[in-house]
């Protein structure tokens, strides 16, 4: 056998081994300009709501967050006053670049929609009674609901990958609010302590 072939095979195997053993590069921290432009892009692409596009950019495209980290940020923002997705922009921007990053993300997220909605609101006040426009908005609402449902399924998927209290709390919350029609505030006040307690007990049992 040719010595060159043997040497090339050894070098190739070593190269492949080095690549396999190399730890993945840490995700880069976006600059203030990248935060502003990223959220401006989300608002321009946010047909049917911006949550699906925000999750896709953070996790799948930019890889700024893992699925678990995104769920944790969104869960935190659920309990803050104001729109959830606006809270996400401020929390994420602050996490990346401090309070100035929060301002950059917030400005990128709200500047264009505010400008567009002022114009669209003025147009809707003039032509909102047209039947064709009503039918169009009905179709848009159905598409928006489908996008939101798909995003919620993606967010829930990591919770079912391992045994723990999260799936039970998720199902209990959905049944309490969606089926039983119980008030959101009382459901949250009851299930949040239960969820925290179960998570603490589960981690304590695993650590042992």
């Amino acid at each position: 056998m040719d010595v060159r072939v043997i040497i090339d095979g050894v070098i190739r195997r070593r190269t492949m081994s080095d690549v396999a053993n190399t730890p993945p590069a840490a995700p880069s921290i976006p600059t203030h300009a990248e935060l502003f432009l990223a959220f401006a892009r989300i608002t321009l692409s946010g047909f049917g709501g911006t949550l699906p596009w925000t999750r896709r950019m953070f996790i799948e495209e930019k890889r700024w967050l893992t699925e678990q980290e995104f769920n944790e940020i969104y869960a935190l923002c659920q309990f803050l006053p104001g729109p959830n997705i606006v809270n996400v922009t401020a929390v994420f921007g602050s996490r990346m670049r401090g309070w100035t990053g929060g301002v950059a993300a917030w400005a990128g997220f709200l500047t264009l929609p505010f400008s567009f909605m002022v114009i669209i609101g003025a147009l809707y006040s003039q032509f909102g009674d047209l039947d064709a426009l009503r039918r169009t908005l009905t179709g848009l609402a159905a598409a928006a609901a489908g996008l939101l449902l798909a995003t919620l399924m993606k967010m829930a998927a990591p919770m079912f990958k391992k045994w723990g209290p999260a799936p039970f709390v998720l199902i209990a919350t959905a049944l309490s609010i969606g089926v039983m029609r119980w008030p959101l505030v009382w459901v949250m006040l009851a299930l949040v302590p239960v969820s925290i307690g179960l998570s603490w007990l589960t981690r304590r049992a695993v650590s042992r």
Side-chain angles (χ1 to χ4, degrees):
M1 183 178 294
D2 192 348
V3 176
R4 292 182 179 179
V5 175
I6 297 175
I7 295 175
D8 290 342
V10 172
I11 294 175
R12 188 178 297 108
R13 286 194 295 271
R14 287 184 176 179
T15 301
M16 294 176 64
S17 177
D18 292 340
V19 171
N21 294 329
T22 302
S28 59
I29 298 178
T31 63
H32 291 81
E34 288 175 335
L35 287 171
F36 180 90
L37 293 176
F39 281 100
R41 177 187 169 191
I42 288 173
T43 58
L44 291 176
S45 305
F47 169 79
T50 56
L51 177 60
W53 304 98
T54 303
R55 185 185 184 280
R56 180 179 179 182
M57 176 176 288
F58 284 5
I59 299 175
E60 300 175 10
E61 295 183 6
K62 301 295 186 179
R63 300 187 183 276
W64 286 335
L65 296 173
T66 64
E67 292 182 341
Q68 182 65 29
E69 289 172 339
F70 182 84
N71 286 353
E72 291 173 354
I73 289 179
Y74 190 75
L76 170 64
C77 294
Q78 287 274 27
F79 294 94
L80 296 177
N84 296 332
I85 192 62
V86 177
N87 294 337
V88 169
T89 65
V91 171
F92 176 76
S94 299
R95 176 173 177 172
M96 295 293 106
R97 290 289 177 179
W99 71 269
T100 55
V103 172
W106 182 85
F109 188 80
L110 293 180
T111 301
L112 291 177
F114 176 79
S115 302
F116 290 154
M117 289 310 301
V118 169
I119 298 173
I120 293 174
L123 294 175
Y124 184 80
S125 65
Q126 297 293 327
F127 306 104
D129 295 331
L130 296 178
D131 291 336
L133 181 59
R134 291 180 180 273
R135 290 194 295 270
T136 301
L137 293 178
T138 301
L140 291 175
L147 283 173
L148 181 59
L149 180 60
T151 302
L152 294 177
M153 293 174 64
K154 287 184 177 181
M155 292 179 63
M159 302 180 188
F160 289 90
K161 291 181 179 179
K162 56 183 179 180
W163 186 261
F168 299 103
V169 176
L170 186 151
I171 294 172
T173 304
L175 292 177
S176 301
I177 298 174
V179 179
M180 303 302 295
R181 304 288 184 177
W182 291 343
L184 173 62
V185 175
W186 296 113
V187 172
M188 292 292 99
L189 290 176
L191 289 180
V192 166
V194 173
S195 178
I196 295 174
L198 291 175
S199 299
W200 180 78
L201 291 175
T202 301
R203 292 187 179 182
R204 184 178 181 183
V206 171
S207 63
R208 290 181 179 179

